[in-house]
Amino acid sequence: MAIIDFDLHTHTVYSHGKGTILQNAQKACELGLSAIGIADHGPGHKGFGIKLSQVPSMRSDIEEAKKAYPQLQILLGVEANIINASGKLDLQEEDCALFDYLIAGYHYGVFGEQPLRACLVHAGGFFYRLGGTSTKAAKVFNTEMVIKTLERNPVKIISHPGDKAAFDIAAIARCCEQTGTWMEINAHHKCLTVEGIRTAAEYGVTFVLGSDAHYPEHVAAVDAALQRADAAGLDRARIINLRRA
């Protein structure tokens, strides 16, 4: 069983998770974590993005959870959505200050500044998932979209890089090395893949295990992610939240 010090990628009922902030915190405390992050989806997601008007309520819930579990650091993040060719997230730049950290990831259900172009991007990603093929132009566009996002925004973690569409992982890893962005090995999704980890490991990037928990009982459940890291031959010392002996 993988034992981690912190899990910064968990969801709650504020987006499409099934547990509350207090329940996620309780599970983290039971497992002996030093910190947990609440990172519900950004407001641009049409299916289950948070509303910025909910942030004060989320902060209030965190304060209540801190009273119940004072030994646990509880952070409010957001899993913002990558969709705009400009590199802009589905948050206004001033809204980023509402959160303790930013995760950014590519998801369907977000249409951004150019809805028609976004539909084409999502359609290409959907067919890539079905058949494993993509046009060179789509891969270049997707990759540039991610790189511009990382260059424009203070992103702490890129979530499940390579998921849902074709991306150049080497180019993204090179950018993460330059920006200091952590690359997530996600337990809920299958990215980074074993091949993706091997590619990214050629660059000086930091890796982080993320549960992407949608239920409190899945907090810190990262065994699947660690198994892929080991299969790729990744030095465990490069995984920042893996607990050391």
Side-chain angles (χ1 to χ4, degrees):
M1 179 180 177
I3 301 177
I4 56 177
D5 284 320
F6 57 85
D7 188 358
L8 295 183
H9 192 171
T10 75
H11 294 280
T12 72
V13 292
Y14 281 103
S15 61
H16 62 328
K18 304 304 180 183
T20 64
I21 290 175
L22 181 63
Q23 288 172 322
N24 280 15
Q26 178 183 6
K27 185 62 176 180
C29 195
E30 290 173 358
L31 294 171
L33 271 63
S34 63
I36 186 171
I38 308 301
D40 284 309
H41 281 280
H45 198 291
K46 300 304 180 183
F48 33 74
I50 64 168
K51 295 178 175 62
L52 292 179
S53 60
Q54 294 176 305
V55 172
S57 178
M58 298 176 81
R59 285 286 183 192
S60 178
D61 287 356
I62 285 176
E63 290 307 312
E64 289 302 311
K66 286 180 177 179
K67 293 177 183 177
Y69 305 104
Q71 68 275 46
L72 180 69
Q73 185 179 20
I74 309 172
L75 302 172
L76 179 60
V78 62
E79 188 179 11
N81 296 289
I82 297 172
I83 189 57
N84 296 311
S86 66
K88 183 179 177 182
L89 289 167
D90 62 332
L91 292 168
Q92 298 297 323
E93 291 184 9
E94 59 269 24
D95 293 331
C96 293
L98 296 172
F99 303 95
D100 299 321
Y101 64 96
L102 296 181
I103 297 178
Y106 170 69
H107 303 90
Y108 303 146
V110 187
F111 300 97
E113 298 169 327
Q114 297 179 299
L116 180 58
R117 183 60 196 253
C119 288
L120 294 175
V121 171
H122 295 328
F126 179 75
F127 286 113
Y128 172 77
R129 292 188 75 182
L130 286 179
T133 59
S134 173
T135 66
K136 182 177 180 181
K139 185 175 183 178
V140 168
F141 178 87
N142 296 343
T143 302
E144 289 181 348
M145 182 172 65
V146 172
I147 288 173
K148 288 179 181 177
T149 297
L150 298 181
E151 291 176 340
R152 179 170 178 171
N153 304 278
V155 177
K156 185 68 175 178
I157 300 170
I158 177 168
S159 59
H160 43 73
D163 189 41
K164 296 182 173 65
F167 297 93
D168 184 340
I169 295 299
I172 293 172
R174 187 182 306 115
C175 183
C176 286
E177 179 181 15
Q178 294 168 351
T179 59
T181 306
W182 298 349
M183 297 190 77
E184 182 190 53
I185 307 173
N186 188 290
H188 184 67
H189 298 277
K190 295 182 179 180
C191 292
L192 285 165
T193 63
V194 171
E195 180 182 356
I197 295 168
R198 287 175 179 152
T199 298
E202 296 179 8
Y203 300 86
V205 301
T206 296
F207 296 89
V208 62
L209 302 178
S211 71
D212 202 348
H214 290 64
Y215 295 83
E217 56 265 33
H218 294 164
V219 168
V222 295
D223 284 0
L226 184 59
Q227 288 168 9
R228 293 201 305 275
D230 288 340
L234 180 67
D235 181 355
R236 287 189 172 194
R238 296 184 64 178
I239 303 175
I240 195 165
N241 61 334
L242 190 63
R243 187 170 300 174
R244 310 294 180 234

